[in-house]
Amino acid sequence: MSSASTSAALYATVVSAAQLTGAVPEDVQDKAHHAKAGKGFVNPWESWRNMTVFEILRTMTWRRISGNANTPDTTPPTVPVRKPSFLPSRETPQLRSTWLGHACYYVEFPGGLRVLFDPVFEPRCSPFSFMGPKRFTDPPCPIEDIPAIDLVVISHAHYDHLSYPTVMKIKELHPNAHFFAPLGNKKWFVDSGIHNAIELDWWEAKDVHLSKVDTKEGHQSGGAEVVEAGTRPAAENISATIECLPCQHTAARSLFDKNHTLWSSWSITSGGKKVWFAGDTGYRAVPDLPRGEDDYGAKYAELPRCPAFKQIGDLRGPFDLGLIPIGAYEPRSVMSPMHANPFDSVNIFLDTKCKQALSMHWGTWVLTEEDVLEPARLLKKALSGSGIPEEGVFDVCDIGESREFA
């Protein structure tokens, strides 16, 4: 038996009933992000600007025809890729995070919890294996190399964040792993034959408890059950709280199901450490500006900023580590409502009260027009402009690299 499947079989998972925990925004019961007419969800803030898929395609096509589009050069070398080194056991003295490309992070918590965020290991982020954005950096390892996966956390249903082949491989290797996703996504998992899937709305949380399984004489029991909030299993070894939180984005699996499912960021607390995974998000809706004009200049200082991040910081912060997107932002007039650029990312970092952060959502697929190494360069500029050291606080790392946080 592989090390991955052995680790999965040694732990059974107990999950509490969903609940609102701690302080929440005053208007949380209004559920303003639920579409009032018809099915689905909305971004309920002035910082959002809606564009249909066809409007986006028309704009991007015209930019290419008119010669205004930039075609990023993916000729190597681009982002360094190294083979990851995972811990050999669940003994983890410090919080440890490994970037596996794009928005995928593997986080090893003190106390033993192992969480995989937005895993996509395929060559293309597309419903098709033969077309769509193709990786310009390889995955740093196969899924089989990951020794233990207790929770898989999905931010939303876009193909660069939710992959059917990857999810099915995880199910095969780690049958006791639980999948967490925003509201409306459980059906996708059930239709895929996965019943260890839990969906949550914004500001809802669950307590998770992993207990060692009896393996006497080679017998492996296990599985999962849902218990009432506040109860505890008899033999508790690893505990965590996972909470679904807001972000500003969209979701779809086709041209005809936009926003039928919710998008979210996530907070996970375990082993005395708290991690915030931003998922995929925008911060401000920036208008079409002349080339080179600073959308953070005085002229645009009053552009609305998404208030959700300050709420997260005030009500759930501080976080020991934030995993925050910095890429897929050009052209700003199209992408800014849904994708943060590094200047947005630094503001999100400050709003959410993260003590330290690592960057993501770049360096893997060409999804937009900025040069592939530009996000890392601009992040340093954005940090410096905010009076934050360029290194050691909000960092860029190599794909496959692990960082530890005391």
Side-chain angles (χ1 to χ4, degrees), residues 66-90:
S66 63
N68 290 320
N70 178 55
T71 301
D73 181 7
T74 60
T75 305
T78 55
V79 182
V81 179
R82 63 172 77 174
K83 184 175 177 61
S85 175
F86 303 114
L87 295 175
S89 75
R90 289 182 182 263

Side-chain angles (χ1 to χ4, degrees), residues 241-360:
T241 297
I242 178 167
E243 184 167 16
C244 182
L245 295 168
C247 66
Q248 181 172 290
H249 199 56
T250 65
R253 298 290 284 180
S254 73
L255 294 175
F256 309 105
D257 64 350
K258 182 179 179 181
N259 297 349
H260 286 193
T261 59
L262 187 58
W263 48 94
S264 73
S265 64
W266 293 89
S267 168
I268 297 185
T269 305
S270 186
K273 296 295 183 180
K274 183 183 287 189
V275 172
W276 182 64
F277 176 70
D280 197 354
T281 188
Y283 188 63
R284 304 152 73 234
V286 176
D288 191 10
L289 305 181
R291 186 185 297 272
E293 186 162 355
D294 180 10
D295 61 68
Y296 269 102
K299 185 176 178 181
Y300 305 102
E302 300 305 316
L303 284 179
R305 304 183 182 201
C306 182
F309 303 108
K310 192 172 187 308
Q311 288 180 329
I312 290 169
D314 290 345
L315 299 175
R316 293 295 177 269
F319 296 93
D320 297 288
L321 175 64
L323 304 172
I324 300 177
I326 65 169
Y329 50 78
E330 287 290 349
R332 287 282 277 163
S333 61
V334 175
M335 297 298 167
S336 60
M338 67 190 84
H339 287 159
N341 78 356
F343 297 92
D344 299 326
S345 305
V346 169
N347 282 307
I348 290 170
F349 168 77
L350 293 171
D351 284 355
T352 52
K353 300 181 181 178
C354 294
K355 297 175 184 177
Q356 292 181 266
L358 292 174
S359 62
M360 65 176 189

Side-chain angles (χ1 to χ4, degrees), residues 354-396:
C354 294
K355 297 175 184 177
Q356 292 181 266
L358 292 174
S359 62
M360 65 176 189
H361 205 262
W362 74 289
T364 307
W365 292 284
V366 171
L367 303 176
T368 48
E369 292 183 8
E370 74 273 6
D371 291 333
V372 296
L373 295 178
E374 182 182 278
R377 293 196 301 266
L378 286 188
L379 179 60
K380 288 182 179 259
K381 183 178 178 181
L383 289 166
S384 178
S386 296
I388 302 171
E390 292 183 6
E391 295 183 359
V393 179
F394 186 168
D395 283 340
V396 168

Side-chain angles (χ1 to χ4, degrees), residues 81-82 84 100-101 120-123 135 137-143 364 399:
V81 179
R82 63 172 77 174
L100 300 178
V120 180
F121 282 74
E122 278 61 60
R135 284 180 180 267
T137 52
D138 292 329
C141 68
I143 303 174
T364 307
I399 296 173

Side-chain angles (χ1 to χ4, degrees), residues 45-160:
W45 309 292
E46 292 182 358
S47 54
W48 172 254
R49 181 179 65 244
N50 189 54
M51 295 181 71
T52 67
V53 172
F54 298 103
E55 287 173 332
I56 293 172
L57 289 174
R58 183 177 66 224
T59 301
M60 300 299 279
T61 301
W62 174 246
R63 285 177 60 82
R64 292 201 171 276
I65 293 172
S66 63
N68 290 320
N70 178 55
T71 301
D73 181 7
T74 60
T75 305
T78 55
V79 182
V81 179
R82 63 172 77 174
K83 184 175 177 61
S85 175
F86 303 114
L87 295 175
S89 75
R90 289 182 182 263
E91 297 299 320
T92 313
Q94 295 182 321
L95 181 67
R96 193 170 188 267
S97 185
T98 305
W99 187 33
L100 300 178
H102 198 55
C104 183
Y105 267 95
Y106 181 68
V107 179
E108 297 161 289
F109 284 82
L113 183 72
R114 301 294 184 258
V115 183
L116 187 63
F117 293 93
D118 279 4
V120 180
F121 282 74
E122 278 61 60
R124 297 185 187 272
C125 57
S126 165
F128 309 105
S129 61
F130 56 88
M131 63 180 294
K134 187 175 182 179
R135 284 180 180 267
F136 63 87
T137 52
D138 292 329
C141 68
I143 303 174
E144 289 84 350
D145 285 1
I146 301 176
I149 301 174
D150 302 313
L151 307 179
V152 180
V153 176
I154 303 297
S155 64
H156 66 295
H158 284 154
Y159 284 88
D160 56 326

